[in-house]
Amino acid sequence: MPTSTTDLLPTIDGRRPRIAFVVYNDTYADTRVLKIAATVADAGADVRIFAFSSRTGHFGPGLETGPVEIDRVPLREIAHLLTRWGLSARRLLGRPVPTYAPTARTDESVAAPAAVVSSSPQAAPAGAPAASVPSKPAGAKNMAIDLWRRADATIKQGSFWIRARSHMAAWGPDLIHAHDANTLVAALSASRRLGIPYVYDSHELWTERNIRADRPVAKRFERLYERIGAKRAGAVVTVSPSIADWLKKRFRLKARPVLVRNIPLFTGQVPEPSAGRLRELAALTSDDRVLAYCGGITTNRGIEETIDALPLLPESVHFVLLGFGSEVYRAGLDARVRRLGLTDRVHFVGAVPSAEVSTALADADVSLVLTRPACLSYEYSLPNKLFESIQAGLPIVATDLVDAAALVRQYDVGEIVATDMPASALAEAITAALASTDERRASIRRAAPELTWQGESARLLGVYRSLLTGRRGSGTRRRRK
């Protein structure tokens, strides 16, 4: 966080710069966006996030004030259009027209959207990749439902682009930060209208994410607007070295995207095991050995493989999962646990606020970061849980993904297993991690202060400074609403 005037962002005509964030979700569980927004506000900027409000979301439409403002624009949905057409028909027929109350705002605020460590379909940001790729629908009824969903998604996305652009233009920012490719159309349009630069923040490989394959038109359109948006951005930032290299090569960018990894804030020291919460949450004793998993309880995270490996480990070894998942997926895991006779050794303990994850993990013995390369975006990922585990002081067992494995080897913080690991190989890697030496524990404690959000955010603020410097003396601005 900024500590002196030299750390602050430059003023614009004697006032604080205004930076607009645009994100296609309601911000409830988007820790990266909220973390960056808070950092930028601390660096002396007025920050407003332009997000959405949907009928099934956590927040109603409107402006939330605070150190970081959030303007949630309502989405247009098929249900709205059908209601509108239906009311028009009723008027033509002379029938009574019902009235509908607006969506009520919840009492949750930007100051505490304590995003949990969950990637379940219910809690994940809308527009994020699905937990698993849906199968192609079959039958006339399912095809009709599928067409409805596709049309609804298109209408929602288009309405967001139009309304977010309008709201950003009315606010009059000096810089726009577009989070993921599905915000680029709105950011590019507002940027051109206002004559200001924008940053493209690629949270993942957008066109190579884990999503259904039978969408050729949508994928071509996504490639088109990402290519145009990336090439016209004042700067591109992303979350892993491999994604940075891929984006530079694919879009022939002049400069390699700036690396801003999704690392948590570091408190300054690795917590003591006594500060951890997993044993308490799972009702375990100090004699038990704890394998920790944190994050969304979903597919392609190595959860099934860990359950299968557990019978090959001593009975004192327990598997504790910190996070939430869908009821359907969880039911499948429960059945697997029962079939293997592991109900006393596998523990689902819910979630904690994202800022508390590293501390909560501290009393575990090993952390499991077993993402499977189901798509290129996963293969190039650098999971947040990897950094949370290091900050918790835990040895790690990680799959051999390009950047994740490189980091584990660089800092000597754990064991690497093949992505197609059999249960026996995973059990061997876990056994090795459980036997981690004092030397490895020391390596982990040395790595933690080097892998912090404070270090990552300094690079992002450097990007902002270079883009904002040209805005000084830029003339009149739109009146802020």
Side-chain angles (χ1 to χ4, degrees):
M1 297 294 178
T3 57
S4 68
T5 56
T6 58
D7 297 319
L8 298 177
L9 294 171
T11 58
I12 307 296
D13 298 334
R15 59 167 175 77
R16 291 162 60 96
R18 297 177 193 145
I19 300 179
F21 284 31
V22 56
V23 56
Y24 192 60
N25 60 53
D26 66 5
T27 71
Y28 177 74
D30 201 325
T31 57
R32 180 174 175 86
V33 170
L34 295 171
K35 180 169 55 184
I36 294 176
T39 298
V40 175
D42 285 343
D46 291 334
V47 180
R48 183 175 289 187
I49 301 173
F50 295 86
F52 70 54
S53 170
S54 66
R55 292 183 303 128
T56 58
H58 298 88
F59 302 96
L63 180 66
E64 283 195 7
T65 59
V68 172
E69 297 180 337
I70 304 180
D71 185 1
R72 294 187 178 89
V73 302
L75 295 178
R76 175 66 68 186
E77 305 178 47
I78 281 184
H80 295 151
L81 296 178
L82 292 179
T83 299
R84 183 176 180 181
W85 296 337
L87 293 178
S88 297
R90 294 180 73 89
R91 291 190 184 96
L92 288 173
L93 295 172
R95 295 180 178 179
V97 177
T99 58
Y100 299 92
T103 303
R105 176 182 296 278
T106 72
D107 59 358
E108 298 174 81
S109 69
V110 66
V116 297
V117 292
S118 172
S119 300
S120 67
Q122 295 91 337
S132 60
V133 180
S135 59
K136 188 174 181 179
K141 179 179 179 180
N142 287 338
M143 289 181 65
I145 293 173
D146 185 54
L147 288 173
W148 172 287
R149 289 174 175 169
R150 290 176 189 248
D152 191 45
T154 301
I155 291 169
K156 287 178 180 177
Q157 180 73 79
S159 70
F160 177 75
W161 286 340
I162 294 170
R163 291 174 175 181
R165 170 188 179 273
S166 175
H167 284 227
M168 282 191 285
W171 188 55
D174 303 291
L175 177 66
I176 297 171
H177 189 135
H179 291 272
D180 266 329
N182 56 357
T183 66
L184 278 173
V185 172
L188 176 58
S189 180
S191 167
R192 295 182 65 177
R193 178 175 175 179
L194 296 171
I196 61 173
Y198 66 91
V199 173
Y200 170 38
D201 188 346
S202 179
H203 296 193
E204 61 179 322
L205 279 183
W206 189 251
T207 58
E208 304 296 331
R209 67 198 189 279
N210 188 31
I211 196 168
R212 59 189 298 173
D214 60 328
R215 45 194 300 278
V217 175
K219 192 164 187 177
R220 286 184 174 86
F221 183 50
E222 288 173 351
R223 286 173 176 167
L224 176 63
Y225 68 62
E226 186 178 24
R227 178 182 296 276
I228 294 172
K231 291 182 74 68
R232 295 184 181 179
V236 179
V237 302
T238 193
V239 294
S240 77
S242 291
I243 293 180
D245 293 337
W246 190 95
L247 290 171
K248 184 178 187 302
K249 181 178 180 181
R250 174 60 63 93
F251 299 134
R252 298 179 181 178
L253 303 178
K254 293 180 180 179
R256 184 174 185 260
V258 177
L259 183 62
V260 182
R261 295 170 294 184
N262 198 26
I263 302 179
L265 284 165
F266 184 55
T267 60
Q269 61 181 7
V270 174
E272 293 298 324
S274 59
R277 296 185 56 197
L278 293 190
R279 293 174 190 274
E280 175 190 357
L281 292 171
L284 299 176
T285 70
S286 59
D287 295 329
D288 295 314
R289 308 303 302 276
V290 175
L291 309 179
Y293 171 89
C294 67
I297 298 174
T298 185
T299 57
N300 296 312
R301 297 296 190 272
I303 297 174
E304 294 90 344
E305 291 83 354
T306 303
I307 293 172
D308 291 347
L310 209 53
L312 304 177
L313 296 165
E315 291 188 2
S316 61
V317 177
H318 293 251
F319 184 25
V320 180
L321 296 92
L322 187 69
F324 288 129
S326 73
E327 292 182 4
V328 173
Y329 180 68
R330 170 66 188 277
L333 292 178
D334 288 341
R336 195 185 202 103
V337 169
R338 289 193 301 269
R339 186 171 64 252
L340 294 173
L342 298 172
T343 53
D344 294 333
R345 297 176 62 190
V346 178
H347 312 270
F348 297 90
V349 297
V352 298
S354 58
E356 300 175 15
V357 172
S358 292
T359 300
L361 293 175
D363 62 343
D365 295 289
V366 170
S367 180
L368 304 176
V369 185
L370 302 174
T371 302
R372 306 294 298 278
C375 59
L376 192 60
S377 188
Y378 281 9
E379 184 175 347
Y380 288 169
S381 67
L382 202 47
N384 187 38
K385 67 187 71 174
L386 179 62
F387 301 107
E388 290 170 330
S389 302
I390 292 171
Q391 290 188 4
L394 299 180
I396 293 163
V397 177
T399 39
D400 196 10
L401 303 180
V402 179
D403 294 322
L407 188 140
V408 170
R409 292 186 178 108
Q410 176 186 352
Y411 289 97
D412 186 25
V413 293
E415 305 293 327
I416 303 297
V417 295
T419 55
D420 58 349
M421 56 196 162
S424 57
L426 179 55
E428 289 176 5
I430 291 173
T431 299
L434 286 169
S436 291
T437 63
D438 291 340
E439 183 177 350
R440 170 164 284 174
R441 294 276 185 171
S443 295
I444 297 167
R445 289 183 173 270
R446 285 194 298 270
E450 295 182 27
L451 299 169
T452 68
W453 174 245
Q454 290 86 332
E456 301 301 305
S457 62
R459 289 194 291 274
L460 180 61
L461 293 177
V463 170
Y464 282 177
R465 288 189 189 95
S466 66
L467 295 176
L468 289 170
T469 298
R471 299 298 304 157
R472 294 181 179 182
S474 57
T476 60
R477 302 289 300 154
R478 291 179 178 272
R479 179 176 61 85
R480 182 183 181 186
K481 290 188 175 182

